[in-house]
Amino acid sequence: MERSSIIRAVMEKAYQISPEAVELIYSSDSPEDLLEYVLSTVNESVIVIGIEDINLQGFAASRKASKLIYTGNREYPDFETSSELEPISPSEPVTSPDPDSIIVNPDPAVESSQDPVSDAISVPDTVPGTVRNMDYEPVSDTQPGTFKSEEVPPSYLVSNSPSAAKTPPPIFSSSSSQAINRLASSFFGQESSLPSSSNRIFREELYSSASGSRLFSSSRDEYKSYPGRNPVTVISDITGHSTCVGEYMQFVQYFRDRYSRLSEIIRGRINARPIESLKRRNFRRGGEGGFEEISIIGMVSDISNTTNGHKILSLEDPTGFFPVLIRNSDKELFEQASRILLDEVIGVTGSITNDGSLMLATKLIQPDVPNNIQRRTGSHGKAVLISDVHVGSSKFLEDAWLDFLDFLKGESDLESMRELAASVRYVVIAGDLVDGIGIYPDQEMELDILNVYEQYRKAAEYIREIPEHIRVIISPGNHDAVRQAEPQPALPESIQADFPENVIFVGNPALIELDGVQLLIYHGRSIDDLVASIPGVSYQEPAGAVLEMLKRRHLAPTYGSRVSISPEKKDYFVIDPVPDIIHTGHVHTLGVQRYKNVLLVNSGTWQDQTEFQKRVNLVPMPARVPIVDLENFDVKILAFD
């Protein structure tokens, strides 16, 4: 039985498991049986299964009992009261086969005086108000021994800074992350916030849709498939799965899910330890007199500058928070730190100061895309990627749009264009099919169709002009008639009814598969945040903003800026798995870029410059159509203006 199989089986039961516990089960002479025993006997109040939750003597006794039963022996009337099978007191220490370790059965009412031997760090018993460690890699440089159990100081869980009081945001709150106060529990909550009887329910809700480490479930049974000549499979879509009502614990679940998935990606590249362990150990000096380098993974909760021009990042994980200093003398590292955003998950390698209060960073690690990512090949034909049609606007470029429809119908004057049109299998629209109502100030002054439903009926007329053999996939944007909070569900059925049968409606974002090629659709509203926050990112080169999303493996890294985000049970913005194509829109400018075998396309618009766009100095690039070859991912740009 592989270690990954142990972790997967535990997650399917809505638990987490520490690396030490994984090793203990894996090294057993019967890992499958031991795992089954642990999952059947673990206390329901446990969130993370540690080695203190594994009763080896109880397991040995159960195996002996099983052997007696399976041999069919019925000649022992005193079997149930046999001294060999006497029940063990919950608080009674049990001697392990390993003479150097002690295993204590968990008992919330009794605190252990000693913790089990660990190959990494001490694993404290759960105390009220703490959050157990999530999955961490063992730390190889720690000597085995017996650690004294101690309660986790409150400072590990709650920030000591003046900004440590945060009121749970209201439903779909859009408060800026820079403006709201933060404390450790703002990301990950505290175990005491739920009664122990509710832990199981909370844990099952948190992990019910995550049978593995990925955001998008690996179970093909959950996919929605549209077979046919041009098949489409919807892999991930919020439509019909939103459960958010704006309660406090939903925000906690959302951030825990984000951290869990992104930290697992980083953990495959560095040997990180929990932040809590930094405050419990003295770090030895290296061979040249310097301190040993250690690594942590955390969510960026605060970014500040010192009077000397250095930068301080405050990182949080489920065990606590810790400040990290980026010195301006390291130009390359300081430049990288200047592009770090609030709420993104990063890894940091560095050394701890003498007083143990600060980490001096030497390396920053983002989730990023692996260098060896492979493209999916074997498909054929073309996919047309467009967005921001804005039907109903007086600035809608109808003549250019009709020329585009003529191209799709094979009615172009040029033979080469007709041949190209014959190879088109898909048209993907990444949001803002119509202009909507009341989206920006004085919008009604620039509308030809003042009723949003009439706008959709007109759009449906246009879509009916597209040949029936071409699959049309429509995702919403901020101008469409769905909730403004992202992730957004697909357009309502009352609107879908006006469209032909070759149209497939998905949410925003949505991961789909076009005959084997995975395409991630996101309207792209978070581009506004990235342009405002990251030096060098601009509306004129929107693919650069998408590249920054990909480096962070997240479509909307900063929570609560311009993008209103609904705190769902899982973070639909995490980019995992890595798709072949990411298709965005929103900013009305065209951009195409490749990054580590991933094609990034920000499609243009079919709307001329509005008065609002003039005021914000946004110059659109209308009537440009990127067409992607699904076999080799080459891109052609057609102009219809």
Side-chain angles (χ1 to χ4, degrees):
M1 188 176 195
E2 298 297 327
R3 294 178 179 86
S4 59
S5 300
I6 296 173
I7 296 173
R8 187 177 302 110
V10 170
M11 294 189 70
E12 287 176 353
K13 294 295 184 180
Y15 292 97
Q16 297 179 61
I17 186 168
S18 70
E20 297 83 7
V22 172
E23 286 300 320
L24 183 59
I25 295 173
Y26 178 76
S27 60
S28 167
D29 59 353
S30 181
E32 293 88 352
D33 293 340
L34 178 55
L35 177 60
E36 182 180 357
Y37 175 79
V38 170
L39 293 176
S40 64
T41 59
V42 66
N43 192 307
E44 289 193 353
S45 65
V46 171
I47 293 178
V48 181
I49 298 175
I51 55 177
E52 69 272 20
D53 301 309
I54 302 176
N55 183 351
L56 292 180
Q57 182 163 330
F59 171 63
S62 69
R63 292 185 71 187
K64 184 174 294 186
S66 298
K67 289 180 180 178
L68 289 172
I69 291 172
Y70 290 134
T71 56
N73 193 329
R74 306 298 182 186
E75 300 178 2
Y76 297 93
D78 296 329
F79 172 75
E80 293 182 355
T81 58
S82 171
S83 60
E84 294 180 324
L85 300 177
E86 226 166 309
I88 301 165
S89 172
S91 59
E92 178 183 346
V94 179
T95 303
S96 167
D98 181 355
D100 294 328
S101 65
I102 292 179
I103 297 177
V104 180
N105 288 336
D107 186 348
V110 181
E111 181 177 347
S112 170
S113 61
Q114 288 184 316
D115 275 351
V117 173
S118 170
D119 289 334
I121 61 167
S122 61
V123 183
D125 291 337
T126 303
V127 295
T130 68
V131 180
R132 285 181 176 267
N133 297 347
M134 301 181 72
D135 298 348
Y136 291 99
E137 292 292 333
V139 182
S140 58
D141 58 0
T142 303
Q143 296 299 322
T146 302
F147 296 88
K148 177 105 175 172
S149 175
E150 55 184 328
E151 290 191 352
V152 180
S155 61
Y156 291 175
L157 298 170
V158 182
S159 171
N160 292 322
S161 66
S163 62
K166 175 182 176 183
T167 303
I171 183 170
F172 305 149
S173 170
S174 182
S175 302
S176 170
S177 293
Q178 288 116 322
I180 61 176
N181 295 324
R182 294 168 176 268
L183 76 166
S185 61
S186 66
F187 285 153
F188 307 111
Q190 299 184 32
E191 196 166 307
S192 60
S193 62
L194 281 176
S196 59
S197 61
S198 302
N199 283 349
R200 177 80 178 202
I201 298 173
F202 162 68
R203 190 174 56 247
E204 288 177 348
E205 288 178 348
L206 181 58
Y207 295 103
S208 61
S209 60
S211 59
S213 63
R214 296 190 170 193
L215 164 67
F216 306 124
S217 171
S218 60
S219 172
R220 302 288 300 192
D221 295 337
E222 298 182 10
Y223 297 176
K224 182 180 287 186
S225 297
Y226 299 86
R229 176 180 172 186
N230 298 318
V232 175
T233 301
V234 180
I235 300 174
S236 175
D237 181 5
I238 185 64
T239 305
H241 301 290
S242 177
T243 59
C244 177
V245 294
E247 295 178 349
Y248 168 72
M249 283 310 302
Q250 292 181 322
F251 289 88
V252 174
Q253 291 177 24
Y254 172 81
F255 281 111
R256 283 180 176 175
D257 185 78
R258 176 191 292 199
Y259 175 83
S260 176
R261 288 185 163 85
L262 294 178
S263 64
E264 183 170 335
I265 295 172
I266 299 174
R267 195 169 292 115
R269 303 168 191 173
I270 60 174
N271 187 19
R273 66 185 70 198
I275 285 177
E276 178 190 49
S277 69
L278 304 187
K279 301 183 179 182
R280 289 175 165 239
R281 297 187 57 208
N282 293 321
F283 296 93
R284 65 176 184 269
R285 292 184 176 275
E288 299 180 359
F291 286 99
E292 65 171 303
E293 285 199 334
I294 55 95
S295 298
I296 59 174
I297 300 172
M299 187 176 289
V300 180
S301 62
D302 188 52
I303 303 174
S304 59
N305 295 303
T306 69
T307 55
N308 294 326
H310 306 301
K311 194 173 291 290
I312 295 180
L313 309 178
S314 181
L315 263 61
E316 295 184 23
D317 74 1
T319 70
F321 75 99
F322 206 80
V324 176
L325 178 69
I326 314 294
R327 290 164 289 192
N328 55 20
S329 57
D330 189 336
K331 301 298 183 183
E332 183 177 348
L333 188 68
F334 191 82
E335 173 65 23
Q336 185 182 0
S338 299
R339 303 173 72 85
I340 295 296
L341 302 175
L342 286 171
D343 304 338
E344 71 169 289
V345 178
I346 62 173
V348 180
T349 297
S351 58
I352 306 299
T353 56
N354 288 328
D355 60 2
S357 63
L358 186 68
M359 173 181 279
L360 305 178
T362 57
K363 186 178 181 181
L364 300 178
I365 303 98
Q366 291 179 302
D368 211 335
V369 176
N371 293 324
N372 59 350
I373 192 73
Q374 297 296 316
R375 287 192 310 199
R376 297 165 185 85
T377 57
S379 188
H380 66 281
K382 307 292 193 297
V384 174
L385 308 182
I386 62 173
S387 65
D388 300 277
V389 185
H390 291 281
V391 173
S393 169
S394 61
K395 301 293 184 177
F396 171 58
L397 301 174
E398 186 176 32
D399 290 342
W401 176 258
L402 293 176
D403 287 343
F404 168 63
L405 293 180
D406 287 342
F407 158 73
L408 292 178
K409 291 185 288 185
E411 298 176 0
S412 301
D413 295 333
L414 297 177
E415 177 65 24
S416 60
M417 292 287 282
R418 292 195 294 270
E419 291 178 356
L420 181 61
S423 65
V424 172
R425 304 175 64 193
Y426 304 96
V427 172
V428 183
I429 304 176
D432 288 359
L433 177 61
V434 301
D435 204 45
I437 303 291
I439 306 300
Y440 59 88
D442 300 322
Q443 182 190 14
E444 64 275 8
M445 305 297 294
E446 296 180 327
L447 289 177
D448 282 345
I449 304 176
L450 295 174
N451 184 296
V452 69
Y453 295 103
E454 290 297 328
Q455 291 179 8
Y456 280 110
R457 292 188 187 101
K458 185 64 176 178
E461 290 181 18
Y462 289 136
I463 298 299
R464 288 183 182 276
E465 295 293 315
I466 298 176
E468 292 182 357
H469 73 273
I470 297 177
R471 290 276 197 181
V472 181
I473 299 96
I474 299 177
S475 177
N478 59 300
H479 280 250
D480 284 297
V482 292
R483 71 182 188 188
Q484 286 295 295
E486 297 179 358
Q488 297 172 301
L491 293 173
E493 292 183 0
S494 58
I495 291 176
Q496 295 183 24
D498 293 325
F499 288 79
E501 293 183 357
N502 62 328
V503 177
I504 298 170
F505 294 89
V506 297
N508 170 46
L511 180 67
I512 64 175
E513 187 174 278
L514 308 179
D515 195 15
V517 173
Q518 288 192 1
L519 186 150
L520 178 58
I521 310 170
Y522 176 53
H523 181 58
R525 198 173 184 188
S526 68
I527 294 176
D528 295 333
D529 293 330
L530 299 177
V531 168
S533 304
I534 301 178
V537 176
S538 68
Y539 289 117
Q540 286 68 39
E541 297 181 2
V546 183
L547 187 150
E548 295 296 335
M549 300 178 194
L550 195 54
K551 287 182 177 179
R552 292 161 177 80
R553 299 290 289 272
H554 202 278
L555 296 172
T558 301
Y559 188 95
S561 289
R562 301 187 187 186
V563 182
S564 296
I565 297 178
S566 167
E568 301 292 341
K569 290 180 181 178
K570 67 178 181 180
D571 189 347
Y572 283 83
F573 297 94
V574 174
I575 304 175
D576 187 27
V578 178
D580 300 296
I581 305 169
I582 299 180
H583 176 205
T584 56
H586 181 62
V587 297
H588 292 205
T589 52
L590 178 66
V592 178
Q593 191 169 339
R594 286 178 174 82
Y595 179 71
K596 296 184 178 180
N597 277 338
V598 181
L599 177 63
L600 315 177
V601 178
N602 193 92
S603 49
T605 183
W606 298 90
Q607 183 184 42
D608 206 353
Q609 189 179 38
T610 65
E611 291 300 320
F612 176 76
Q613 291 170 345
K614 291 178 182 178
R615 291 197 295 270
V616 298
N617 197 31
L618 178 61
V619 180
M621 192 177 296
R624 299 289 196 277
V625 177
I627 300 181
V628 180
D629 190 319
L630 298 178
E631 183 177 2
N632 54 26
F633 299 99
D634 286 345
V635 180
K636 289 185 177 180
I637 308 296
L638 302 184
F640 292 94
D641 57 349

